[in-house]
Amino acid sequence: MFEEEQAKTLNSELNVVYKYLRKHGISHVDAQDIVQETAFKFLSYSDSIKSQNIRGWLIRVALNYHHDQYRKKKRIKLGFNDEHLKLLSNDLPEDLLLGNEKKEEIQTTLDRLNPLYKELILLKYYWDLKYKDISILLDMKIDTVKTNLYRARNQFIKFYKEVKE
C-alpha cells in the first residue's frame, strides 16, 4: 500500500518535471528521455537523497542531464549550424568573427564566476526562469535568489570589463 502511494507521488512529480521541460522548449521526445533518466536516477539514489524538496531535486537532475546532453551534442556537430549560415548570408565575415569573440568573452566571464552566481545567471537569462522557479529549483527564498542574482550580475560586469581590456 505504501509503495503504491510513493509510486503515485513520484509519477505526479515526474509529470510536473515533464511539463516544466516542455514549457522551456525541450522537445517531446527529449523531455520523455530526460524524465525517464531522472526517474532512474531517483530510484537508484532514493536512499541517499537528503533533500526534502523532491520536485526541486528532480528538476535539478533533469536540467543537469539536459545540459550534459546538449554539451555532448554540441561537441559532436561539425561544420556550420543554422546560426552560422544565417550570419553568413546576412553579415560580413568580420561580423561572424566578432560574434564568436563576444561568445568567447561571455563564456570566459561565466567560467570565472562563483559557481552559484554562474548557475543563477544561466537559469535567469539563458533559461529565462522566473525568480519563483529558481527559488524552488535551488531550494532558496525568493529574496535570497534576488540578492544573489544582483551580486552575480555585478560580479559578471566586473569580470567582463576585465576580459574586454
Side-chain angles (χ1 to χ4, degrees):
M1 179 76 175
F2 183 69
E3 289 179 13
E4 285 181 31
E5 289 178 24
Q6 281 183 323
K8 286 181 183 178
T9 303
L10 178 60
N11 192 31
S12 69
E13 292 298 325
L14 290 171
N15 284 332
V16 171
V17 172
Y18 171 80
K19 290 175 185 174
Y20 182 86
L21 294 170
R22 291 290 292 150
K23 178 184 172 194
H24 293 288
I26 298 171
S27 72
H28 168 71
V29 173
D30 288 343
Q32 284 183 325
D33 290 344
I34 293 168
V35 168
Q36 182 177 359
E37 185 65 28
T38 302
F40 175 75
K41 287 184 180 182
F42 177 80
L43 294 172
S44 297
Y45 301 111
S46 61
D47 296 339
S48 62
I49 298 172
K50 296 178 182 167
S51 175
Q52 298 299 321
N53 183 2
I54 298 301
R55 181 178 295 170
W57 187 90
L58 291 170
I59 290 173
R60 169 59 33 217
V61 169
L63 286 176
N64 285 344
Y65 182 77
H66 175 66
H67 290 294
D68 291 344
Q69 294 305 309
Y70 177 78
R71 275 187 245 124
K72 286 178 186 175
K73 286 179 185 176
K74 189 173 160 185
R75 270 188 262 147
I76 292 171
K77 290 183 181 177
L78 298 174
F80 292 105
N81 60 25
D82 293 338
E83 183 180 324
H84 287 122
L85 294 175
K86 209 182 292 182
L87 286 171
L88 284 174
S89 66
N90 296 331
D91 297 325
L92 298 172
E94 294 86 14
D95 294 336
L96 178 62
L97 290 173
L98 289 173
N100 285 338
E101 282 181 22
K102 186 170 280 297
K103 286 180 190 175
E104 289 176 16
E105 290 170 353
I106 291 172
Q107 187 59 50
T108 301
T109 304
L110 284 173
D111 290 341
R112 291 185 61 198
L113 290 178
N114 170 325
L116 174 64
Y117 291 172
K118 179 180 179 179
E119 183 173 27
L120 285 168
I121 286 177
L122 290 174
L123 289 172
K124 180 65 178 160
Y125 299 107
Y126 182 76
W127 291 102
D128 200 29
L129 298 182
K130 296 181 174 131
Y131 292 118
K132 182 181 178 185
D133 294 333
I134 295 171
S135 72
I136 291 169
L137 191 60
L138 297 179
D139 198 22
M140 297 173 131
K141 294 179 182 176
I142 291 178
D143 290 336
T144 306
V145 170
K146 288 179 180 179
T147 301
N148 282 322
L149 199 51
Y150 173 79
R151 292 175 182 160
R153 283 190 299 263
N154 287 339
Q155 191 178 64
F156 181 89
I157 291 168
K158 176 185 169 191
F159 289 160
Y160 189 74
K161 286 179 181 176
E162 291 173 7
V163 168
K164 292 283 289 179
E165 292 176 351

